[in-house]
Amino acid sequence: MIFARFHHIYTHRFESAYADETTLMQAKREWALSLSGISPQWIEHALERCKKEHAWPPTIAEFLKLAQPAPESIGLPSVSEAYQEACHKSNAPVEHQWSQVCVQLAARNTGYFLLRSEPERISRPLFEKAYLALVNRLLAGETLEMPISVALPEPDFSAERELVQTLVSHGLNEPDAQNIAYYMEKPTGSDVRKRYRERASVMLEGKNIEFELPE
């Protein structure tokens, strides 16, 4: 079907590219393999673009680009508009109202920091790739949603506060007691907690206080 359309669109320019039957059959096979999975709707879309944008028959690579639907054709911001929005809102993504979930997801997948810090020649191709991949997922019927951020539980410092009060009752002033009890903020059983606890024990000895610090 594509080659028949090319024949009518490009006439002798198309015929000259496939002078013999063997070349024509091999070309049809390569085109069929390359276009498998692309819907007839977007092949037709690409053929219409061929008429306007290509004076000569396109290569397979050129045709595949034409078959990539422009985001604005399905009601989304263009790549340029989406990129500008992503750069503008990447400084505080949670605080902004985004035009489309697709744009925010593309910005997140590209990296908010990258969009803020890298020049356009680096950040734009990465964003465009992420954005068009999401556009294709929408075209495939997928629903896109931003993941819900799960708030982490507030850290429990009750054991540390209790130790501070115990150390104060043993004669330490509160700043020194807090400095010694700081090791309890480190993960239980970790090497870093063990090192800080050993340092805290040395500090207690320096204050001439005999007290066994909890693990």
Side-chain angles (χ1 to χ4, degrees), residues 170-202:
H170 279 71
L172 281 177
N173 60 50
E174 189 161 335
D176 285 342
Q178 290 174 342
N179 196 21
I180 289 172
Y182 173 68
Y183 78 93
M184 297 196 75
E185 294 185 15
K186 305 303 178 184
T188 303
S190 65
D191 289 340
V192 67
R193 180 173 176 132
K194 181 179 179 182
R195 290 197 301 271
Y196 272 82
R197 181 179 178 278
E198 290 172 352
R199 190 187 71 171
S201 297
V202 171

Side-chain angles (χ1 to χ4, degrees), residues 6-19 55-57:
F6 280 166
H7 174 78
H8 292 291
I9 295 170
Y10 297 108
T11 60
H12 68 279
R13 291 183 176 181
F14 173 75
E15 294 171 358
S16 64
Y18 305 104
W56 289 85

